[in-house]
Amino acid sequence: IHTKVGGRARFRIPGLRNAPSVKQFIERRLSHQSDILNASASSITGNLLVSYNSNNDHRSIQTSIEAIIQEYATDADKSVSPKKVSRNRSVCGPAGKKKPTPPHADTPRLPSLPLEPGEASHWHLRDKHTVLKVLGSSEISGLSMDAAETLLKHHGPNLLPESKPRSGLSILWNQMNSLPVYLLGAAAGVSMLTGGLFDAVVIMGVVVANAVIGYFTESAAEKTIHSLKRLVRPHADVVRDGGSVDLPIEAVVVGDILVLKPGVYVAADARIVSATHLSIDESMLTGESLPAYKHARPLKRPDIPLADRTNMAYMGTLVTGGQGLAVVVATGEATQIGLIQIMLDQTRAPETPIERQLGQMGDQLVLLCGGVCGVVFLIGLIRGYGFLEMLRMAISLAAAAVPEGLPAAATINFAMGITSLRRHKVLIRHLQAVETLGAVQTVCFDKTGTITCNQMTVQRICSGEQCFDVDNGRLTANGSVVDPLTHHALTQLISACALCHEIKINGTDAADNVQLHGSATETALVQLAIDAGLNVRQINSDHLRLTINHRSESRLYMSTLHRTPEHDRIFCVKGSPPEVLAMCSCEAVNGEIRPLTDARRLAIESENEKMASRALRVLGFACKRLSGDRPNGEADLAWLGLVGMADPIRDGVRPLIEVFHRAGVDTVMITGDQHSTAYAIAKALNLSGRESIEILDSSDLSSLDPETLKALARKAHVYSRVSPAHKLQIVQALQSAGVTVAMTGDGINDGPALKAADIGIAMGKTGTDVARDVADVVLEDDNLETLALALKDGRTIHGNIRKSVHFFLSTNISEIMLMTTALGLGIGFPLNVMQLLWINIISDIFPGMALSMEAEEADVMRRPPRDAGAPL
């Protein structure tokens, strides 16, 4: 790709993207070649950067790389050849035969055994029989226990490397690792060498006090955040030796057959081999708010997004409906979650604005100190003072130039800000992060689970020629609260919601709420019936379900048949409104059955379109009572009505958006949802303010070059259908445009973007461990409204630190002017070393700290964000 710089070349490697084993293999082989100085491969970009001996050129290096790729491909072909598998039964056959050692036994391989080098993500293209044959497994019998044990020893447990909390030593080092502290340390060292032991003790006392305050503040936040981690290890139901076995998730290996059923967490990345109305909630990985329906057929496009790989199941997602079997194709680090963690490892967190500003000021102070030391030292020698005496005085003036009180004032200010925010359930991991909040110019919101609750709820019902809005379980019509049990048609519709489902009702929780387990859509419908006052358990007990017909791609509705206490039968249908309506010949209205006229059909279709335009998922309901031995026919049904559901926007998000806009902060929404859904939610939030909403789709992102994306990133308000890599790309595009970016998120898919953002904000209650581990800020109770408070505190803290900086520098410069002028005029030393330190450490620190603790100014949230690159 690039060979302009001598001794360096960048290559694009086929099959390197999303293939960490290829990366490791190439880097290992190149490191053994004497003419290669350094080699760094990226499994995210698919590129390889090589630094080599100047005696070579890039063509010879390319030849070496091609030989290494061919070597890897040969090994990979041997590992996946069906003929080889049948001949060497140690992988999937009986134990006892020793497995031959491959040519490079120490070479790491993809645990998923790709069909071609680097194609670990292409299992969705193969038919299930090929996949099973390649992996040496069987849909009926699975792996043998012996083969599974061998694979487990070879590939290791099915676990992701857990991120450890920062060590106490690293937290303490962060408090010491700054240029002002280095200058103070140098001054203390010189004072000690020249006999000023007490001077050195006083200077280091400031350094130690600053470090101790920062250490204890950050340690407390780190412990609190780490305590939020979930400690539950799920199990997996796996087919081994023809029988079902319950295993801890870490014992699952490539080739295992997973049994998928409602409520089960998927234990590893797997290819679906059979599915009966199987649906999986993949929101934590893809950002899609609705469950994905799965099948076993091969797909055709290799570059299809994760959210559309309907024959794959991914580690950490949740089965919400139906049942199925899937063969494991990747475990541990080779899973999609593992690839995200690799992306996290390769993502560097940026410096905070205050770190950059203090660094710039420190560089300037170094020049100032050097100049002062040199000038004073020379003047003193010319005036006839002794060498050591002038050295001590020059060093003391250099120490006077450094504002000793600034680290203490800043640290205490940050610590007080963190303590204040913690009372509002906002946990700050780093001291400087609280100040960075005040510099934010753009906030990127992940939609599912952050802007929305990641929980479907019914929002509108239309039944019997009347429509009702639903808010927290209460039905209203024209602003008045309605009792649903007083409307006969409405009662029938809600009763159908209580019957036509697969929800499991498992008792009540501590708050006496009924526990529902199943898909988000059906949970919302059954919860509607509970909120309306129906006894759902009693209704299901009285109306025993006889049969169930699930929704499918060619049949966009679900039906159930029930026996009534009178020994009649009730046939209930829910699904796509046009399909259900086509099966109806009459309608339930005000306690009677009326024929469905063409005018009513048009009115129902029109209402369906209105509800869909509000980003609601709309279902139609119908039923028919069957008496005697009449056949169960899906015709001549009675129309009951429409139910519209959505993943509701969290309370307080719209007012928060308005607060950000008044403060001059741009707001951006990033979602895995479709364009239309994203647009409707952005419009409801007024995300673009007074501007028209601009949306970029992931398909657009893939085709844009970095410079074009950087230009468009400043204008876009919504990004739809995005992947984890796209989120990272969006954040980095905004940063390259000079914007200070905050990113909010809760899922595993948000991890890389949270880490790369100037400030990463994770949900504490519903967020995943990965999101919390990399975030700078954790909202312990998921309350986004506290971000406005954090923004105000951050702006106030920065303004107060700036006041302190002005105060400290002005007093320090006056000391330098006094001492230099007196020495130049031959007056002598008006202040000795200890007096200078006393002024800087005692007389300066307390007024400076008082300035840094002022209350916020009245208009702090009506000002535009400051330029993060501007000097203090």
Side-chain angles (χ1 to χ4, degrees):
I1 296 173
H2 191 272
T3 58
K4 300 290 184 184
V5 180
R8 292 180 63 190
R10 191 183 301 276
F11 302 91
R12 176 160 292 136
I13 309 298
L16 175 57
R17 292 189 68 175
N18 297 329
S21 68
V22 179
K23 162 186 163 67
Q24 295 167 4
F25 187 92
I26 292 174
E27 289 179 343
R28 179 180 297 217
R29 286 288 176 268
L30 288 175
S31 68
H32 293 157
Q33 298 190 13
S34 58
D35 53 346
I36 302 293
L37 303 178
N38 184 52
S40 175
S42 170
S43 57
I44 296 176
T45 62
N47 294 343
L48 168 68
L49 179 63
V50 180
S51 300
Y52 51 88
N53 192 302
S54 57
N55 295 328
N56 293 311
D57 65 13
H58 69 272
R59 295 177 186 83
S60 63
I61 302 299
Q62 180 174 331
T63 302
S64 299
I65 295 171
E66 287 172 348
I68 291 169
I69 294 172
Q70 184 59 44
E71 181 184 354
Y72 179 90
T74 302
D75 286 350
D77 287 341
K78 289 178 182 178
S79 71
V80 300
S81 169
K83 188 179 291 184
K84 183 73 175 177
V85 168
S86 63
R87 192 164 59 244
N88 174 19
R89 301 292 292 174
S90 63
V91 174
C92 56
K97 295 185 179 180
K98 186 176 179 181
K99 182 178 179 180
T101 304
H104 305 285
D106 61 336
T107 300
R109 298 180 185 278
L110 276 176
S112 54
L113 303 174
L115 297 176
E116 297 176 20
E119 291 200 355
S121 59
H122 288 183
W123 292 103
H124 60 284
L125 302 177
R126 318 293 172 174
D127 66 80
K128 66 177 185 179
H129 302 293
T130 302
V131 173
L132 288 167
K133 188 175 181 180
V134 166
L135 298 176
S137 189
S138 163
E139 185 176 347
I140 297 173
S141 59
L143 295 174
S144 69
M145 294 299 288
D146 291 336
E149 286 180 17
T150 302
L151 288 168
L152 186 61
K153 289 177 183 176
H154 182 68
H155 295 300
N158 176 33
L159 292 175
L160 298 172
E162 289 192 5
S163 60
K164 297 179 181 178
R166 290 187 299 160
S167 67
L169 192 61
S170 68
I171 294 174
L172 185 62
W173 169 245
N174 285 341
Q175 314 310 314
M176 313 287 286
N177 186 21
S178 68
L179 194 53
V181 173
Y182 294 157
L183 291 174
L184 290 174
V190 173
S191 294
M192 188 178 296
L193 291 174
T194 55
L197 182 61
F198 189 62
D199 302 358
V201 170
V202 173
I203 294 173
M204 289 309 297
V206 175
V207 174
V208 171
N210 173 63
V212 168
I213 293 169
Y215 172 79
F216 282 108
T217 304
E218 290 195 12
S219 293
E222 193 72 29
K223 288 176 183 176
T224 304
I225 292 169
H226 199 68
S227 70
L228 297 174
K229 292 176 73 70
R230 299 192 182 101
L231 301 176
V232 178
R233 288 241 185 257
H235 280 230
D237 195 0
V238 175
V239 176
R240 293 260 180 98
D241 286 325
S244 180
V245 182
D246 184 46
L247 297 174
I249 194 170
E250 55 265 31
V252 172
V253 298
V254 171
D256 266 331
I257 302 295
L258 300 178
V259 179
L260 305 178
K261 49 192 176 184
V264 168
Y265 279 96
V266 180
D269 287 6
R271 169 69 161 84
I272 306 294
V273 294
S274 71
T276 305
H277 312 294
L278 180 64
S279 63
I280 300 178
D281 177 7
E282 298 179 334
S283 59
M284 49 76 73
L285 183 65
T286 65
E288 284 275 15
S289 55
L290 294 176
Y293 287 92
K294 301 293 182 176
H295 59 74
R297 300 185 300 278
L299 304 178
K300 295 181 179 179
R301 284 177 46 211
D303 59 343
I304 194 167
L306 286 183
D308 295 330
R309 294 186 185 179
T310 47
N311 60 3
M312 297 291 296
Y314 295 105
M315 185 179 189
T317 57
L318 177 67
V319 180
T320 57
Q323 58 188 13
L325 297 175
V327 58
V328 174
V329 297
T331 59
E333 291 184 355
T335 62
Q336 288 297 324
I337 293 177
L339 293 176
I340 291 174
Q341 287 221 331
I342 291 171
M343 198 186 303
L344 276 175
D345 293 338
Q346 296 178 354
T347 303
R348 291 187 60 190
E351 277 188 323
T352 65
I354 196 72
E355 286 175 325
R356 289 194 294 267
Q357 292 163 345
L358 288 175
Q360 292 165 2
M361 192 175 74
D363 293 341
Q364 294 161 359
L365 286 173
V366 168
L367 296 175
L368 177 62
C369 293
V372 168
C373 286
V375 170
V376 171
F377 186 73
L378 289 174
I379 293 175
L381 290 180
I382 293 170
R383 290 286 182 182
Y385 292 100
F387 180 85
L388 282 179
E389 183 183 11
M390 285 314 305
L391 182 61
R392 284 195 65 207
M393 185 53 65
I395 291 298
S396 66
L397 273 176
V402 178
E404 288 92 341
L406 179 57
T411 299
I412 292 173
N413 210 295
F414 290 147
M416 291 177 64
I418 287 175
T419 304
S420 171
L421 288 171
R422 189 171 181 178
R423 287 196 290 268
H424 294 89
K425 305 291 187 181
V426 180
L427 305 176
I428 310 290
R429 175 172 265 121
H430 308 284
L431 288 177
Q432 293 86 351
V434 69
E435 182 274 339
T436 309
L437 280 164
V440 167
Q441 296 167 304
T442 297
V443 179
C444 295
F445 290 100
D446 173 59
K447 183 192 80 76
T448 306
T450 306
I451 287 180
T452 64
C453 300
N454 197 16
Q455 175 184 333
M456 297 290 284
T457 61
V458 175
Q459 298 197 349
R460 189 167 174 83
I461 300 174
C462 289
S463 177
E465 300 181 348
Q466 192 173 2
C467 289
F468 307 86
D469 290 315
V470 185
D471 184 17
N472 290 324
R474 294 190 313 166
L475 274 69
T476 59
N478 301 319
S480 302
V481 178
V482 174
D483 181 359
L485 301 184
T486 62
H487 290 66
H488 190 273
L490 198 52
T491 303
Q492 283 186 294
L493 172 57
I494 296 175
S495 298
C497 294
L499 288 174
C500 192
H501 65 80
E502 286 187 284
I503 290 292
K504 292 182 180 179
I505 304 174
N506 295 336
T508 57
D509 60 15
D512 206 31
N513 296 317
V514 177
Q515 294 291 289
L516 305 175
H517 296 277
S519 72
T521 299
E522 292 194 336
T523 298
L525 294 171
V526 175
Q527 188 62 51
L528 171 69
I530 293 170
D531 292 339
L534 297 182
N535 188 332
V536 176
R537 276 201 193 88
Q538 190 63 46
I539 290 174
N540 282 270
S541 175
D542 292 343
H543 297 77
L544 181 66
R545 189 173 69 201
L546 302 176
T547 61
I548 181 170
N549 291 308
H550 292 89
R551 177 188 176 106
S552 65
E553 289 188 15
S554 59
R555 185 176 182 274
L556 301 181
Y557 57 89
M558 167 188 178
S559 61
T560 54
L561 182 65
H562 305 264
R563 179 181 289 120
T564 70
E566 296 82 22
H567 302 291
D568 287 338
R569 289 176 297 160
I570 291 180
F571 184 65
C572 298
V573 177
K574 75 172 181 197
S576 167
E579 290 210 19
V580 175
L581 186 61
M583 298 159 61
C584 297
S585 60
C586 53
E587 179 182 14
V589 181
N590 297 330
E592 59 184 50
I593 302 297
R594 299 179 185 174
L596 256 179
T597 63
D598 290 341
R600 276 297 295 150
R601 289 182 186 274
L602 285 173
I604 292 168
E605 290 170 358
S606 174
E607 188 58 43
N608 174 43
E609 290 175 5
K610 287 180 185 177
M611 292 167 73
S613 68
R614 292 171 51 182
L616 298 180
R617 185 187 185 195
V618 188
L619 294 176
F621 285 79
C623 72
K624 178 166 67 173
R625 182 176 287 269
L626 307 172
S627 57
D629 295 326
R630 288 179 56 190
N632 174 20
E634 296 182 351
D636 297 326
L637 303 180
W639 175 259
L640 298 178
L642 297 167
V643 177
M645 292 163 288
D647 185 2
I649 295 171
R650 289 181 185 271
D651 293 336
V653 174
R654 183 178 172 114
L656 176 66
I657 299 292
E658 293 173 358
V659 169
F660 281 147
H661 288 171
R662 283 197 299 272
V665 178
D666 295 327
T667 50
V668 171
M669 184 174 75
I670 302 176
T671 176
D673 280 336
Q674 301 281 354
H675 183 285
S676 57
T677 305
Y679 179 84
I681 292 173
K683 189 174 181 181
L685 290 172
N686 192 28
L687 200 69
S688 60
R690 297 178 181 177
E691 301 176 7
S692 59
I693 297 172
E694 298 290 340
I695 300 181
L696 271 179
D697 195 80
S698 63
S699 57
D700 301 322
L701 291 176
S702 303
S703 59
L704 293 176
D705 62 79
E707 286 301 315
T708 306
L709 179 58
K710 182 169 75 173
L712 290 175
R714 296 298 300 267
K715 299 179 180 179
H717 305 106
V718 179
Y719 296 87
S720 60
R721 302 291 289 165
V722 297
S723 69
H726 288 140
K727 292 184 181 183
L728 178 61
Q729 187 181 359
I730 292 163
V731 167
Q732 291 176 335
L734 285 166
Q735 289 173 325
S736 64
V739 177
T740 303
V741 182
M743 173 76 195
T744 70
D746 69 321
I748 291 169
N749 59 339
D750 302 317
L754 286 172
K755 186 174 180 180
D758 295 281
I759 195 84
I761 304 165
M763 302 295 111
K765 188 182 294 183
T766 58
T768 58
D769 292 341
V770 170
R772 286 194 295 266
D773 283 343
V774 299
D776 305 292
V777 178
V778 176
L779 305 181
E780 194 172 359
D781 59 356
D782 295 1
N783 184 5
L784 279 175
E785 293 176 84
T786 52
L787 283 182
L789 181 66
L791 184 71
K792 181 181 70 175
D793 280 6
R795 290 186 172 190
T796 301
I797 286 171
H798 181 272
N800 289 346
I801 289 175
R802 195 169 182 219
K803 294 171 190 174
S804 299
V805 168
H806 288 173
F807 172 75
F808 288 130
L809 290 181
S810 62
T811 55
N812 290 10
I813 289 172
S814 67
E815 294 167 14
I816 295 169
M817 290 168 62
L818 171 67
M819 298 295 288
T820 307
T821 304
L823 189 61
L825 295 175
I827 299 172
F829 301 114
L831 300 170
N832 62 31
V833 175
M834 187 51 65
Q835 286 171 329
L836 285 170
L837 290 173
W838 179 270
I839 291 170
N840 285 358
I841 295 172
I842 304 300
S843 299
D844 278 6
I845 284 184
F846 293 106
M849 286 175 57
L851 280 172
S852 73
M853 294 179 188
E854 285 193 336
E856 71 271 9
E857 297 172 12
D859 64 342
V860 70
M861 289 298 284
R862 293 194 293 273
R863 302 173 189 165
R866 71 176 191 274
D867 180 4
L872 280 169

